[in-house]
Amino acid sequence: MTVSFVALGLDHRHIYGMTQHMRDTGATCLGYWTDGHPDTLDGFTKRFPELPQFDGLDAALNSGADLALVSAIPADRADLSIRAMQHGMDVMTDKPGCTTQDQLDDIKTCVAKTGRIWSINFSERFEVPCVTRATQLVQAGAIGKVVHTAGLGPHRLNRATRPAWFFDRTQYGGILTDIASHQIDQFLHFTGSDTAQIPHAMVANHANPNDPGLQDFGEISLRSATASGYIRVDWYTPDALPTWGDGRLTILGTDGYIELRKYVDVGGANGTDHLILVNGDRCEKIDARDAGLPYFQRLADDITHRTDTAMRQDHCFTVMELALQAQALAERTI
């Protein structure tokens, strides 16, 4: 079976990678629909000039596709995902997959009723080869039992290119719902935790007082039955950095640790996907660029065989539950 898919909503440039990675599995894109003319549309059509645009959303929903890729304005993703599932499609949505608890409850109800897959492309795990290699090392016992993760998600503001919804809390869902969902996903994944408690969460706007809807800093402390973690996210990446953010993850085990310098190694080696491994007999930096990105092929296989290998459905739900809980806690304590 060749998987077919449509792109619904092009408001975030993550749709570029989502589309390309699914095509790389051999899946066929039937076309795209988006509301209006977001700034990202020109970049999409430049990358994929051969893809047709549907006359409207109904045409896309009735295309017979197996999968919908959703990268609309965050507040609109839940509704598009639900409509796609009601039309018989599985869904891969950009993060955050939703922005409110009511939306998440509606998605859960729809998944239970339709039997469709609702998957979030946590790109800071699924589109980063060094995370693939770290997963392999952890599963092989290279650092013992994982007891802590520290995830840093700095981003460049790029104010001139940001649409109005980016500065509207009700549209993007808050910095912890949005960016920190990546790090929550990685905490649960690497510690093997089914869920977690959130003892502390905070958000702030330290540097952009003229944009009161923007949260430019956030942090979370996590605790599960077997591990703990810390998350810091922000919009402060300086212009001199050669990429959008110096994203890092440190995974602490009882027998060693792994540090991931995902996108840049300041003062070190060129390129991306730098993995540092230290344990009882190894102390080395590993170039992990060739580790692969298995999520997309696994999702294609799950669509075909109705399996659950790319990301467990309960894990996907739990990540968003915790992100929304953290956001709510942080805003209660401002």
Side-chain angles (χ1 to χ4, degrees):
M1 171 183 169
T2 299
V3 171
S4 61
F5 69 93
V6 294
L8 303 181
L10 310 181
D11 295 272
H12 197 294
R13 63 186 62 242
H14 284 165
I15 193 63
Y16 306 156
M18 293 162 66
T19 300
Q20 186 60 57
H21 289 308
M22 285 310 301
R23 295 183 86 184
D24 288 345
T25 71
T28 300
C29 184
L30 304 182
Y32 67 92
W33 170 86
T34 194
D35 188 13
H37 197 292
D39 292 341
T40 48
L41 177 58
D42 291 342
F44 186 85
T45 56
K46 181 178 180 180
R47 286 167 174 79
F48 310 109
E50 73 283 2
L51 296 183
Q53 182 174 9
F54 289 104
D55 289 338
L57 178 57
D58 287 342
L61 292 172
N62 290 306
S63 65
D66 303 302
L67 172 69
L69 307 185
V70 176
S71 191
I73 294 170
D76 297 336
R77 291 174 189 168
D79 180 65
L80 281 174
S81 295
I82 289 169
R83 294 186 67 179
M85 288 188 283
Q86 290 172 338
H87 281 77
M89 300 182 207
D90 296 313
V91 171
M92 179 211 294
T93 180
D94 191 7
K95 64 80 214 162
C98 55
T99 56
T100 69
Q101 185 63 50
D102 286 345
Q103 288 180 352
L104 183 57
D105 291 343
D106 289 343
I107 289 167
K108 288 182 175 181
T109 298
C110 186
V111 168
K113 183 175 181 179
T114 64
R116 296 291 98 193
I117 297 166
W118 183 70
S119 189
I120 299 174
N121 175 27
F122 292 113
S123 55
E124 293 189 29
R125 174 157 70 104
F126 295 140
E127 297 191 39
V128 180
C130 68
V131 182
T132 303
R133 183 58 48 79
T135 297
Q136 295 165 348
L137 288 166
V138 167
Q139 290 175 347
I143 59 171
K145 178 183 176 182
V146 175
V147 296
H148 188 273
T149 66
L152 308 182
H155 286 61
R156 180 172 285 133
L157 184 59
N158 285 331
R159 176 182 295 278
T161 67
R162 298 295 183 180
W165 62 260
F166 177 85
F167 300 95
D168 184 339
R169 161 65 181 81
T170 64
Q171 293 294 295
Y172 70 86
I175 193 170
L176 301 183
T177 299
D178 182 16
I179 302 178
S181 61
H182 284 301
Q183 283 73 32
I184 294 170
D185 162 68
Q186 290 165 77
F187 169 80
L188 295 178
H189 171 70
F190 281 110
T191 64
S193 301
D194 291 329
T195 190
Q197 297 176 329
I198 303 169
H200 165 76
M202 71 157 289
V203 296
N205 182 338
H206 291 306
N208 296 274
N210 294 327
D211 299 298
L214 178 66
Q215 296 168 354
D216 60 21
F217 178 87
E219 65 179 5
I220 304 173
S221 294
L222 296 145
R223 183 176 67 241
S224 74
T226 60
S228 60
Y230 174 75
I231 293 167
R232 191 203 79 207
V233 292
D234 65 72
W235 288 103
Y236 301 145
T237 294
D239 289 342
L241 194 78
T243 189
W244 55 267
D246 188 2
R248 300 194 182 198
L249 176 68
T250 300
I251 308 163
L252 177 65
T254 53
D255 297 326
Y257 66 89
I258 292 169
E259 182 185 346
L260 304 181
R261 301 177 184 179
K262 298 180 179 181
Y263 312 112
V264 64
D265 183 19
V266 176
N270 293 328
T272 62
D273 296 285
H274 312 274
L275 186 152
I276 295 168
L277 170 64
V278 182
N279 61 17
D281 52 22
R282 299 173 68 181
C283 181
E284 60 186 293
K285 180 182 285 187
I286 299 169
D287 181 349
R289 286 176 290 182
D290 64 351
L293 303 173
Y295 165 78
F296 301 95
Q297 185 60 59
R298 289 174 182 169
L299 182 61
D301 293 342
D302 288 342
I303 292 167
T304 301
H305 303 295
R306 309 318 297 166
T307 47
D308 195 30
T309 64
M311 175 172 51
R312 294 193 331 269
Q313 187 64 79
D314 62 331
H315 172 95
C316 189
F317 289 151
T318 300
V319 172
M320 286 313 308
E321 290 270 12
L322 292 174
L324 292 165
Q325 289 175 20
Q327 188 70 47
L329 175 61
E331 291 179 347
R332 284 199 300 271
T333 56
I334 290 177

